[in-house]
Every structure is written in C-alpha cells, then in structure tokens.
Amino acid sequence: EADIYQTPRYLVIGTGKKITLECSQTMGHDKMYWYQQDPGMELHLIHYSYGVNSTEKGDLSSESTVSRIRTEHFPLTLESARPSHTSQYLCASSGTGGRTEAFFGQGTRLTVV
Amino acid sequence: SQELEQSPQSLIVQEGKNLTINCTSSKTLYGLYWYKQKYGEGLIFLMMLQKGGEEKSHEKITAKLDEKKQQSSLHITASQPSHAGIYLCGADYTGTASKLTFGTGTRLQVTL
C-alpha cells in the first residue's frame, strides 16, 4: 500500500484563479515527480525533484511551478488557471536502493471553467 | 510518447481468455516498469524488468523483456474482471530508475 497522498481528488475552478495541488508522502523518498495525464491515457512528466530545494522541469512544458521545502511535501501551483490546464495530475515518489519503482498518488482531476 | 509504443490501444476479452500487451521502445532500455491504472485513479506497480532481458510472474501475470528487440510483453492468463483497467509501461532511459517515460497505455475490458 503506497503512502502517498494527493489533495484534492477533484477540483473545479474558474479561469484566473490561483490553485495549489498538494502531494505528501510518508516513505522518506528523496525523489518526487508530477505527471500530467491526457484523456488519451499517456502520462507526461512536468516536474521532478531529487531532494529538498531541488526541482527541475520535466519533458512536457508546463506553466505550473513546484517547491520542495520538506522531503515529504511536493506541492504544485498554478498562478492563474486556464481551461487548457484541465487535466489529471499525478504525483509520485521513489526511493533508492533495492526498490526503485515509483509509487503514485490517487491523482487530482482539475477542471478549469 | 513516440519513444515508447504500446499495442493494442484497447482490448476486449472474454473472461477466462489469455491476452498479451506489447510495449516497444525506439531507444535502449535500462529498465521497464509495468503499471495498472483504474479509471481516474493512480497507478499501481505490477513489475519491473531489468536491462539484459528478464521474465517475471505474479499470480496470473507474466512480463518479459526482450533486450534484442527492446520490447516487453505483458501476458495475462485466464483473465478475470479484476484485470480490467489501463495498463501502462514506463521506460527508464537514464539508468537512474527515475523520470520514467510512459507508453500510450492499453485499455483492457474483460467481459463475462
């Protein structure tokens, strides 16, 4: 059972609003990731972090920003939401050593109207 | 991602039938991860295959990695309704077991 949590699960918000998607993990993982999932199922990496105060942009350009002030917490922020930001956002974390697989949260389905 | 192609895109099988999903990479794989996703939820890890070619089984699911072809297959024996969902393969192209590149996904339906 993965100990990684995302809130909210669903969010409907108006254009221009600022939003923060929360992601927390209790596994002590150094690596954390944000993926954006299209309706067609494909996942695209938009942000990743290898540890506290380390953040990098992923392969898919995104207007969102992230921060990593604590190991367990990796929030994603959109300063001004637009309808094009409507998507499913998935947070994941992975450790080092024997088990390398990423554990995923339940996701946040964001709808911008 | 065009680097990683999954086939078929969708699959409908009758309960009890066997099925295979393929994942083909255009680049060298350091590792290949299989995940399952229920609609609208997160991904559940199934199996990880190492570079060099490997085969793993868990319950009725077997996954293989063919290093020569840079291709992985996921085989389900005697499918059940609980197998329904979206299957995604994720490629490790960096050797760091992080920043996976995901395939396009295969949607599996199992009919009674």
Side-chain angles (χ1 to χ4, degrees), chain A residues 45-86:
Chain A
L45 181 69
I46 52 174
H47 298 283
Y48 63 98
S49 168
Y50 285 165
V52 171
N53 294 325
S54 145
T55 61
E56 302 283 345
K57 294 254 183 209
D59 304 320
L60 181 69
S61 175
S62 174
E63 292 165 352
S64 59
T65 58
V66 292
S67 62
R68 190 91 182 276
I69 299 170
R70 301 196 318 262
T71 298
E72 62 271 21
H73 196 213
F74 192 40
L76 180 145
T77 299
L78 274 165
E79 290 293 332
S80 180
R82 294 209 297 268
S84 61
H85 297 137
T86 295

Side-chain angles (χ1 to χ4, degrees), chain A residues 31, chain B residues 29-31 92-98:
Chain A
K31 300 175 188 177
Chain B
L29 291 162
Y30 283 88
D92 174 12
Y93 289 129
T94 64
T96 61
S98 57

Side-chain angles (χ1 to χ4, degrees), chain B residues 36-73:
Chain B
K36 179 186 174 186
Q37 183 180 31
K38 290 285 191 183
Y39 180 74
E41 296 186 5
L43 278 65
I44 304 297
F45 171 73
L46 295 175
M47 269 174 268
M48 184 265 177
L49 303 165
Q50 303 260 24
K51 176 182 180 173
E54 203 174 9
E55 178 173 331
K56 286 184 179 176
S57 293
H58 178 67
E59 296 181 346
K60 294 186 178 182
I61 300 177
T62 299
K64 300 179 189 179
L65 178 59
D66 184 328
E67 191 179 31
K68 249 184 183 178
K69 295 181 182 177
Q70 292 299 301
Q71 182 180 72
S72 179
S73 60

Side-chain angles (χ1 to χ4, degrees), chain A residues 25-45:
Chain A
Q25 50 97 4
T26 58
M27 297 172 281
H29 286 165
D30 286 326
K31 300 175 188 177
M32 294 190 76
Y33 318 87
W34 276 102
Y35 286 88
Q36 186 173 337
Q37 187 171 29
D38 304 330
M41 303 178 292
E42 195 170 346
L43 273 78
H44 298 283
L45 181 69

Side-chain angles (χ1 to χ4, degrees), chain A residues 9-10 31 33 35 37 39-45 48 50 59 88 90 94-95 99-107 109, chain B residues 1-2 4 9 33 35 37 39-45 48 86 88 94 96-107:
Chain A
R9 285 291 311 275
Y10 303 93
K31 300 175 188 177
Y33 318 87
Y35 286 88
Q37 187 171 29
M41 303 178 292
E42 195 170 346
L43 273 78
H44 298 283
L45 181 69
Y48 63 98
Y50 285 165
D59 304 320
Q88 167 97 327
L90 290 162
S94 65
R99 296 197 66 176
T100 59
E101 72 269 24
F103 293 88
F104 281 79
Q106 290 285 76
R109 181 161 295 281
Chain B
S1 166
Q2 291 180 341
L4 203 61
Q9 216 173 8
Y33 296 73
Y35 286 86
Q37 183 180 31
Y39 180 74
E41 296 186 5
L43 278 65
I44 304 297
F45 171 73
M48 184 265 177
I86 298 167
L88 290 135
T94 64
T96 61
S98 57
K99 291 177 60 183
L100 298 184
T101 298
F102 281 91
T104 47
T106 296
R107 188 183 298 276

